[in-house]
Structures are given as C-alpha cells and as structure tokens.
Amino acid sequence: MEERQHLETTPLRTPLWARLFAPVDIASLVCFRIAFGVLMMVEVGRYIPRIARYYIDPPFNFTYYGFEWVKAWPGDWMYVHFGVLGLAALCITIGLCYRLAAAVFFVGFSYMFLLEQARYLNHIYLLCLIAFLMIFVPAHRAFSVDAWLRPKLRSGTVPAWALWLIRLQIGIPYFYGGIAKLNHDWLHGEPMRMWLAKRADDSLLGPLMTQEWVVYFFSYGGLLFDLLIVPAMLWRRTRPFAFVAALGFHFINGSVFTIGIFPWVMAAATLMFFPPGWPRGLRDLIGRTLRLPVAEPARAAPRPPLPSRPTRKQKYLLAFLAAYTSWQLLFPLRHWLYPGDVAWTEEGHKFSWRMKLRDKDGSAVLYATDPATGDTWKVDLRSRVKRWQLSEMTGRPEMILELAHRVGAQLEAEGIPDVEIRAHAWTSLNGRPKQLLIDPEVDLMKVERSLFPASWIRPEAPLDPAVEARLSEM
C-alpha cells in the first residue's frame, strides 16, 4: 500500500521555484490520467468508422503551413495507426509503460490532427497539447502497472508543477475563449442566434431556441463562464458553485452542439482545480457513509530543508516550463499582427482558442486560364476534393490557395504550362450579405503560402454595385 502523506501548505514567502517543486498529493493527477486515457480510447473509437472517409478516400488532404510533408499512411495502414493509438490510450489509463505510451499517443494523435486542415477543431488541438504534457507529468507513480512492477517508482506525491501545468493548459482555452467573445457580433447575439435557430427542430426545448432572451443567455452566459470559471475554481469559497456551473455548461454544450468528447474532457479536467487529495477524501467519505473500515490518515512527513538554489535538473525543467508557458500565452495573440478582422481573413485564427465564434457560408469557384491561348474555364472541384472538404474550404483563404496550387500543378502535368488560377469566393460572415473573400484578379499560382499578411485577401467591405453584379453572374 502506497504511503499516504498529508502535506502542509507551502508558505507564501517561499521562492516560486521552490513552491513549484514542493510535494503535493498525487491522487488527483492519477484520476486525471485515468479519465484522459479512457476518453482518448473513446475518441479513437469514434474515428475508426470515419478513417476511410477522412484519410483514405480523399484524393487530396489540406495541410497546415510548414507541415505539407505530413501524408496519410498508404492503404489500410491508417487502421493500424488508430489501433496503435487505442493501445497507447489503454496503456496511459492503466499506467503501463506510461511515458512511452504517452509519447506514442502524442506523436500519433498529432499526426492524425495534422493530416487534414479541413478537420481542424480546437479541442483536438487541446488534446494534442495535453498528451504532450502527459509525457513529462509523473502521473504513473501510483495506481499503475508501472508502480506495481517497479516498487521504487511508487510515490504518494508529485511536485506541484505537475498539477499547475495541467491547470494552466486547461485554463488558457477558457481565458482566451472568453476574451475572443468580446466582439461586436458575439455581444449582439451572433452567430449564436443562427446556431440555435438551426437546432430548434432537433431540440427538446423547441421554440425556446428562437427566443431572444435565450440567445442572449447563451451568448453572455458563455462569455462570463469562460472569463470567470478559472478564478472561481481557484478560490475555495466559490469552487463548489463554479464546479456545478461547469458541469451544467459542459452538459448543455454536449447536448446542443456536436463537439464530440470535448465537454467531457473539460468536465474531468475541472476536477484538477480541487485540492490534490480530493479523491482520497471522497473515498473516505464513501467509506464512512457505507460504514466501511477507513484507514487512519498517516502523519505528515517532515518537510526536507529548503535548498538555497535549484539543482541543474530543476533549472532545465524551470526553463522548459517558462518557455512552454510563454508560448501558450503569446501564440494565441498573433492575430493582432495581421490587418483586418481575423474572423474574416482567418489569419491567426487557428491555434488561438477562438472557439465557436463565427459562422461562414459561401461558395468558391476556381477558374483556370491558359496563357498561350487565353482560354478560361471553370475547374470541376468535386472531382478533386470531397464535398465535406469543399464545405469547409469556402471561407478559408489559405485552403483556397492550397487547392489552387494543387489544381494548377495537376493542369500543368496534363500539358498546360504556366497555367493561371483565379478564385471567385463569396462568403457570408455571421449572416451578413455575401462578399468577395479573395481578389478575383490575382493569379493564385503566383502567390506562395506565407505567414506574412496576405494582400490577396479582400477586406470585409461592400463592393461597387456594378462590379458585384458582374462577378455574381460569372
């Protein structure tokens, strides 16, 4: 039986680095490891029936900038890949070869995520980040096969940084998601109004979904929840109320919107904000309620003397924590480096926790021009990409550019050198009238993918009526 320790709170006057390495109860981290592993097995199982649709059948997958080299396994090897992911998730759950399993799952799950940009979801990105952190977090020192096989590994404590690292990663999407909602459309009920109206017929609430007070309840409720849930969970007095609110929020999200296991992952992660020994307290409470024998609490182990400075290993770990935290805090802000509305241009939108903020509807048509003859014709896109990819592409300039390069390369291979590709992409943002997203005069074959602001993306502004009429007839 693993040693149980009740540890005193680290004094506030203690240096920050020493507080990060102070031992805390491992119980909550073990519960999170098990919950994460189980939910990842469920997530992998959800993908298996869709493997062919997303990764085998499409003749072309949209890639992320800098990751164009990531390609799907040939043939049926994608099924093997997901089988390995399921096995790695199982090993994380039971704590068998834990660090290796966490590394395999992180690499394999991130690979799956990078295969198709049209399948981008914030919660998949978050799962990749959590899987990465689980490699370093020693969540296998208790209640695991590894601890059973290697007694020297067993411990009832972990350094405090392990808990705070997970808390930080869970808190960042909430905070940035709330900040992103402080925009004109969200504060006026869009796109929530459209989303609820679409689900009115499928929901038990029915007509309530179209009531204005319901629209603003969801809009402002989501905004306040994202901004306040983390500080409310950190404060002991508000923590019970915040936890109930979190469960209700995620239950409603899971019921109203189709967002997979994300609500359940976040609900489980919210438990990390309770004192680290809460699972033991819950176990003892159940034992007393059922009048079962309950072990007497062990006396707190004497705290070792505080070293005057961190060791070399601790310095390396502190450097990693500082670098990772800085990246997570700064990278979501990069959209401020681009002109225009990020919801329209999409520049800096991904990986920034701008979750469920905009609704885009539109169409995109590519026109090819043979410079030798001057002939121009409409490209048949449905023979080159799948319908679900086209649906996601129409409002995403970067994806339109990548497809234009793909089509141009194919036409050049078919004997049309120096072919020109132009796009007529009409997009509606949050229910507003459709506008041109991309300059239709620009030859996209001459535009390279870049992290710099794209001059070929048109700002969201009214067109000249004569030009708009001419282009809409094409």
Side-chain angles (χ1 to χ4, degrees):
M1 184 175 183
E2 297 180 8
E3 181 184 9
R4 178 178 177 181
Q5 300 181 20
H6 292 277
L7 301 156
E8 299 175 359
T9 304
T10 305
L12 291 176
R13 63 180 180 273
T14 304
L16 176 60
W17 69 266
R19 296 178 58 134
L20 290 174
F21 288 99
V24 297
D25 199 317
I26 196 176
S28 64
L29 194 58
V30 168
C31 287
F32 180 75
R33 184 203 79 214
I34 295 172
F36 180 75
V38 170
L39 289 170
M40 291 307 96
M41 285 191 288
V42 173
E43 181 72 354
V44 170
R46 289 178 63 250
Y47 268 90
I48 289 178
R50 311 170 190 175
I51 292 176
R53 183 189 183 202
Y54 294 145
Y55 308 114
I56 298 177
D57 295 343
F60 165 72
N61 288 111
F62 290 92
T63 62
Y64 294 89
Y65 178 81
F67 291 92
E68 295 85 357
W69 51 273
V70 179
K71 305 295 182 183
W73 294 104
D76 292 334
W77 282 99
M78 284 303 300
Y79 289 96
V80 177
H81 180 87
F82 276 85
V84 172
L85 280 182
L87 180 61
L90 173 62
C91 290
I92 292 174
T93 305
I94 64 176
L96 174 61
C97 300
Y98 166 76
R99 292 196 187 277
L100 175 62
V104 169
F105 187 85
F106 162 68
V107 173
F109 201 77
S110 299
Y111 161 83
M112 178 273 295
F113 170 72
L114 293 171
L115 279 177
E116 177 58 72
Q117 188 180 166
R119 292 288 302 158
Y120 175 85
L121 292 170
N122 282 284
H123 81 263
I124 299 297
Y125 172 51
L126 177 61
L127 294 178
C128 292
L129 294 177
I130 294 176
F132 173 70
L133 297 182
M134 295 298 282
I135 300 173
F136 306 96
V137 170
H140 61 316
R141 293 182 180 176
F143 207 71
S144 70
V145 176
D146 286 349
W148 175 61
L149 294 176
R150 298 162 54 195
K152 292 184 179 180
L153 181 67
R154 299 177 192 173
S155 175
T157 64
V158 289
W161 65 260
L163 270 69
W164 282 105
L165 187 59
I166 299 296
R167 289 170 177 171
L168 174 75
Q169 189 61 79
I170 297 302
I172 284 177
Y174 281 126
F175 176 74
Y176 282 109
I179 294 296
K181 289 180 174 65
L182 295 172
N183 65 74
H184 177 274
D185 283 1
W186 189 270
L187 296 177
H188 286 79
E190 292 293 358
M192 185 63 68
R193 184 176 289 107
M194 293 188 297
W195 293 339
L196 294 180
K198 291 177 182 178
R199 290 164 174 80
D201 295 334
D202 301 329
S203 172
L204 295 176
L205 299 178
L208 281 178
M209 290 292 197
T210 58
Q211 297 291 320
E212 280 297 289
W213 71 268
V214 174
V215 171
Y216 282 99
F217 172 80
F218 273 87
S219 295
Y220 281 82
L223 167 64
L224 294 175
F225 177 84
D226 285 345
L227 290 177
L228 299 178
I229 185 61
V230 172
M233 286 298 300
L234 289 173
W235 192 23
R236 179 178 58 83
R237 294 185 178 181
T238 57
R239 187 178 297 132
F241 307 102
F243 181 64
V244 172
L247 292 181
F249 177 84
H250 292 304
F251 176 78
I252 292 174
N253 259 351
S255 302
V256 176
F257 303 107
T258 306
I259 47 180
I261 67 166
F262 180 61
W264 319 122
V265 171
M266 296 303 282
T270 305
L271 291 168
M272 290 293 291
F273 289 90
F274 282 89
W278 70 263
R280 302 188 195 274
L282 179 62
R283 181 196 62 184
D284 293 347
L285 176 62
I286 294 175
R288 288 193 298 268
T289 302
L290 299 178
R291 297 182 179 180
L292 299 175
V294 178
E296 289 295 327
R299 295 182 178 180
R303 186 181 299 277
L306 180 67
S308 59
R309 62 184 61 185
T311 64
R312 177 177 297 182
K313 183 178 179 181
Q314 289 174 334
K315 288 181 180 178
Y316 289 147
L317 183 54
L318 288 171
F320 165 75
L321 294 176
Y324 184 83
T325 300
S326 299
W327 176 263
Q328 290 301 314
L329 292 176
L330 294 176
F331 192 62
L333 302 176
R334 73 191 188 284
H335 65 88
W336 292 108
L337 301 175
Y338 296 94
D341 182 2
V342 59
W344 175 258
T345 67
E346 300 285 323
E347 294 184 293
H349 174 84
K350 290 182 172 65
F351 313 105
S352 298
W353 312 118
R354 302 181 59 81
M355 300 175 285
K356 305 293 289 183
L357 284 176
R358 81 275 193 268
D359 187 277
K360 282 187 171 179
D361 179 45
S363 60
V365 179
L366 296 184
Y367 289 92
T369 299
D370 185 344
T373 64
D375 293 339
T376 298
W377 65 96
K378 179 180 177 181
V379 178
D380 180 15
L381 297 181
R382 293 190 177 183
S383 63
R384 302 175 189 272
V385 290
K386 296 296 183 181
R387 184 184 298 271
W388 58 269
Q389 293 174 305
L390 283 176
S391 176
E392 189 67 23
M393 181 200 74
T394 54
R396 315 293 189 264
E398 182 187 6
M399 295 175 64
I400 295 174
L401 176 63
E402 183 178 9
L403 181 59
H405 279 250
R406 166 82 174 189
V407 169
Q410 291 175 338
L411 292 176
E412 289 180 348
E414 294 170 7
I416 308 177
D418 302 321
V419 66
E420 300 173 357
I421 304 292
R422 293 175 175 82
H424 289 184
W426 291 84
T427 301
S428 167
L429 175 62
N430 292 341
R432 291 192 282 276
K434 291 182 180 180
Q435 299 183 30
L436 273 175
L437 178 63
I438 293 175
D439 188 342
E441 303 300 326
V442 173
D443 176 12
L444 296 181
M445 290 297 290
K446 297 179 180 178
V447 177
E448 297 296 331
R449 297 180 76 177
S450 170
L451 295 178
F452 292 98
S455 60
W456 48 276
I457 300 177
R458 296 182 64 96
E460 187 187 15
L463 289 173
D464 178 79
V467 176
E468 186 173 359
R470 178 174 62 84
L471 291 172
S472 63
E473 293 174 357
M474 297 184 66

